[in-house]
């Protein structure tokens, strides 16, 4: 018998207690300082009290290596089988143009030519979806640039696209800056809209200093009005805050604003916080960026001081939120990268890409659906094969089944290799999460 290689063990922040988690066995426990000391003794190869040792065996923290390897393989096969049945998200980009000049736009360096989307391309896209993803549950997300631009031609294009989706009985999500939601409301109300994702980076002064119109001009008030209209018409809104050191201290005020607006009481409202990070080209102010753990350390501090934030946004802290809300652990995560498995991206040039982080980068193209269908099978296979079993650095990592190897696009952007890790600070996130939720 040995100490399981999949145990995650550490101290809880601002507490004398510790936690131990094993996603493979499905167990998590809070330990006293004396119990934690015995775990440390066991890790160092020293004997511990027999009754405590028996408890560790019963919970799967101490295992027979051969039995654990069999369990790992079985869970992996279950994961692959489940993923093959999961709903597929298909992103479509009708344009990369935008009416905003955000200070941190990661698409700023893109050189995609401007051209109108012919009806034939839209027809070919839906034909491709019907044949390529036959038998799979699927939905579409309109992405950009800014898909909801306020021009007669763009409205005609979006209307034709949504009509096709309705005929195909496909739900549509839209990722938009939210400026023209009011102008598109009538079209949205008669379409199969699952969710509208809108970004607010803070209250008015902060947001307008970061997300402004090309040529200058406030955007906050008009976006807020659009969100109100969506919620009033029972159109789901996913409010996203893109956070860095410039705006994170405004989170308590943004939470208060949303609560006072009544948004947080709506069943059609949810939130997320996205980290502003360097992806394809250098940020204008890289010193403003958080890494993943420093962002959540800051959010932890803010929620301790301003607990009302949790009514607006509850951080996941890796698997901590899931455990607190469900009373059990999620299934082992063998792959955190959906590219070419449950996520694909397409754009108005007729190209196919692995995911949203790669769409529009011509060197990331996997082929075309228009004007002819072509697939770079070698590239596709690379993305399909990426999971913790194919990333060497993940093989002996105790965090692998909570991390899943991270984002393939970020890993490739950093190392040039898809099968390299984008490591998540799981242990440190759990230290925060156990403190916050338990």
């Amino acid at each position: 018998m040995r100490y399981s290689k999949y145990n995650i063990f550490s101290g809880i922040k601002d507490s004398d207690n510790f936690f131990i988690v094993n996603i493979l066995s499905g167990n998590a426990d809070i330990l006293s300082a004396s119990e934690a000391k015995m775990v440390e003794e066991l890790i160092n190869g020293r004997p511990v009290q027999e009754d405590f040792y028996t408890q560790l065996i019963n919970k799967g923290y101490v295992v027979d290596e051969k039995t654990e390897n069999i369990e790992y393989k079985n869970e992996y096969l279950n994961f692959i089988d489940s993923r093959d049945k999961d709903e597929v998200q298909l992103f479509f980009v009708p344009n990369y143009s935008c009416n905003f000049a955000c200070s941190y736009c990661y698409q700023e360096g893109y050189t995609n030519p401007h051209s109108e989307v012919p009806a034939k391309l839209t027809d070919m896209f839906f034909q491709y979806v019907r044949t390529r993803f036959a038998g799979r549950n699927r939905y579409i997300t309109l992405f950009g640039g800014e898909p909801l631009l306020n021009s007669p031609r763009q409205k005609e294009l979006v209307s034709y696209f949504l009509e096709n989706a309705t005929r195909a009985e496909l739900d549509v999500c839209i990722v938009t800056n939210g400026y023209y939601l009011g102008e598109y409301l009538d079209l949205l109300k008669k379409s199969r809209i699952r969710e509208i994702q809108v970004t607010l980076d803070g209250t008015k002064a902060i947001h307008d200093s970061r997300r402004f119109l090309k040529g200058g001009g406030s955007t906050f008030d008009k976006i807020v009005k659009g969100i109100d209209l969506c919620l009033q018409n029972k159109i789901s809104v996913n409010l996203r805050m893109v956070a860095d050191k410039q705006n994170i201290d405004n989170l308590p005020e943004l939470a208060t604003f949303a609560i006072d607006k009544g948004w947080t009481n709506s069943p059609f409202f949810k939130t997320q916080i996205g980290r502003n990070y360097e992806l394809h080209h250098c940020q204008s102010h890289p010193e403003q960026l958080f890494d993943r753990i420093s962002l959540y350390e800051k959010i932890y501090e803010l929620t301790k001081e301003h607990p009302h934030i949790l009514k607006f946004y509850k951080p996941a802290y890796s698997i901590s939120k899931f455990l607190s809300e469900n009373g059990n652990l999620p299934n082992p995560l063998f792959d955190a990268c959906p590219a070419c498995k449950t996520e694909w991206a397409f754009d108005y040039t007729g190209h196919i890409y692995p995911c949203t982080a790669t769409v529009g980068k011509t060197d990331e193209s996997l082929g075309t659906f228009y004007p002819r269908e072509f697939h770079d099978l070698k590239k596709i296979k690379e993305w399909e094969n990426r999971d913790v079993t194919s990333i060497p650095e993940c093989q002996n990592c105790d965090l692998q089944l909570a991390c899943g190897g991270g984002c393939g696009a970020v890993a490739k952007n950093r190392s040039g290799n898809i099968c390299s890790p984008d490591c998540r600070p799981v242990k440190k996130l759990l230290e925060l999460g156990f403190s916050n939720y338990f």
Side-chain angles (χ1 to χ4, degrees):
M1 304 292 284
R2 65 169 174 80
Y3 183 78
S4 172
K5 64 186 287 187
Y6 305 109
N7 288 340
I8 307 172
F9 168 71
S10 191
I12 299 173
K13 187 173 176 63
D14 299 328
S15 170
D16 293 330
N17 292 329
F18 289 69
F19 66 83
I20 186 168
V21 172
N22 189 303
I23 297 179
L24 187 62
S25 70
N27 285 298
D29 284 278
I30 292 175
L31 306 175
S32 65
S34 60
E35 291 170 326
K37 185 173 179 57
M38 284 192 283
V39 170
E40 290 169 348
E41 292 287 316
L42 185 65
I43 292 171
N44 291 320
R46 291 189 281 270
V48 299
Q49 293 177 11
E50 186 175 345
D51 59 339
F52 184 69
Y53 188 71
T54 300
Q55 290 180 50
L56 294 177
I57 292 173
N58 292 337
K59 290 290 187 75
Y61 302 130
V62 172
V63 295
D64 172 74
E65 183 174 4
K66 184 178 178 180
T67 302
E68 184 174 60
N69 289 340
I70 292 171
E71 185 178 0
Y72 181 93
K73 290 174 183 177
N74 287 336
E75 287 295 329
Y76 179 70
L77 292 174
N78 290 337
F79 174 84
I80 297 299
D81 185 56
S82 177
R83 188 182 64 189
D84 288 345
K85 298 173 185 175
D86 283 347
E87 190 174 40
V88 180
Q89 185 176 22
L90 307 170
F91 287 85
F92 183 80
V93 178
N95 56 274
Y96 292 102
S97 50
C98 186
N99 56 321
F100 278 26
C102 300
S103 60
Y104 53 83
C105 179
Y106 77 88
Q107 292 181 345
E108 186 180 18
Y110 285 19
T111 57
N112 295 283
H114 175 74
S115 63
E116 291 190 347
V117 179
K120 179 66 174 173
L121 184 141
T122 300
D123 294 341
M124 291 284 284
F125 170 73
F126 280 95
Q127 180 180 322
Y128 181 88
V129 170
R130 276 193 304 272
T131 56
R132 179 76 174 178
F133 301 100
R136 295 291 298 270
N137 292 328
R138 54 200 186 272
Y139 69 101
I140 298 170
T141 296
L142 273 179
F143 194 64
E146 172 51 46
L148 303 186
L149 292 172
N150 189 28
S151 70
R153 176 58 185 151
Q154 186 75 358
K155 282 187 173 180
E156 181 183 332
L157 183 159
V158 173
S159 178
Y160 186 69
F161 189 92
L162 293 177
E163 287 169 7
N164 272 271
T166 298
R167 280 196 295 272
E169 298 183 338
L170 293 172
D171 288 349
V172 176
C173 297
I174 302 176
V175 179
T176 172
N177 58 37
Y179 194 76
Y180 290 121
L181 280 173
E183 286 79 356
Y184 274 85
L185 186 65
D186 288 342
L187 178 57
L188 298 176
K189 288 195 305 187
K190 65 182 183 182
S191 303
R192 291 178 57 123
I193 302 300
R194 178 180 294 191
E195 176 183 288
I196 306 288
Q197 181 184 298
V198 183
T199 300
L200 277 183
D201 274 1
T203 50
K204 183 176 174 61
I206 296 294
H207 172 90
D208 283 344
S209 71
R210 297 160 58 84
R211 299 182 63 83
F212 39 85
L213 293 170
K214 284 184 175 176
S218 171
T219 63
F220 180 84
D221 292 334
K222 201 166 186 306
I223 295 171
V224 167
K225 183 178 179 181
I227 293 171
D228 283 336
L229 288 170
C230 285
L231 295 178
Q232 289 163 15
N233 285 277
K234 299 182 179 180
I235 298 173
S236 293
V237 172
N238 185 349
L239 185 66
R240 184 171 186 259
M241 178 186 188
V242 179
D244 55 34
K245 295 174 185 177
Q246 184 187 54
N247 69 329
I248 191 63
D249 286 322
N250 191 233
L251 176 58
E253 287 75 22
L254 179 60
T256 298
F257 179 84
I259 291 167
D260 290 346
K261 290 285 289 180
W263 290 350
T264 54
N265 291 325
S266 171
F268 301 100
F269 182 78
K270 65 181 181 181
T271 59
Q272 59 174 292
I273 292 182
R275 183 169 59 93
N276 184 12
Y277 61 99
E278 185 175 334
L279 184 60
H280 299 321
H281 67 280
C282 188
Q283 292 284 337
S284 301
H285 301 285
E287 72 280 358
Q288 295 286 352
L289 303 181
F290 286 108
D291 60 25
R292 190 173 276 108
I293 187 58
S294 61
L295 171 62
Y296 282 95
E297 286 173 339
K298 180 64 176 179
I299 292 172
Y300 173 85
E301 293 169 6
L302 288 172
T303 56
K304 289 293 185 185
E305 187 176 351
H306 307 280
H308 73 279
I309 291 173
L310 294 175
K311 187 175 180 182
F312 171 74
Y313 171 73
K314 290 186 72 175
Y317 295 127
S318 183
I319 57 172
S320 305
K321 178 185 171 186
F322 185 98
L323 179 60
S324 71
E325 292 181 345
N326 296 279
N328 56 271
L329 292 172
N331 292 327
L333 181 63
F334 291 90
D335 181 23
C337 178
C340 293
K341 299 129 181 169
T342 57
E343 184 176 315
W344 297 79
F346 310 82
D347 70 8
Y348 69 92
T349 68
H351 281 270
I352 305 167
Y353 302 89
C355 62
T356 51
T358 56
V359 68
K361 293 184 70 182
T362 53
D363 59 331
E364 297 281 7
S365 174
L366 302 177
T368 59
F369 67 92
Y370 176 88
R372 68 185 183 93
E373 191 173 316
F374 162 73
H375 299 102
D376 188 328
L377 298 179
K378 182 180 178 182
K379 279 187 177 182
I380 292 172
K381 198 70 175 175
E382 282 185 292
W383 285 100
E384 287 178 333
N385 288 341
R386 185 188 188 274
D387 60 30
V388 297
T389 68
S390 64
I391 302 172
E393 294 89 340
C394 295
Q395 298 303 299
N396 294 307
C397 178
D398 57 344
L399 308 178
Q400 61 172 280
L401 299 182
C403 171
C407 171
V410 170
K412 185 183 179 188
N413 191 62
R414 182 172 53 237
S415 70
N417 179 14
I418 293 173
C419 282
S420 61
D422 167 37
C423 299
R424 307 296 171 91
V426 171
K427 188 175 291 186
K428 290 185 178 297
L429 289 170
L430 289 175
E431 292 168 5
L432 301 172
F434 270 83
S435 178
N436 211 335
Y437 298 135
F438 298 97

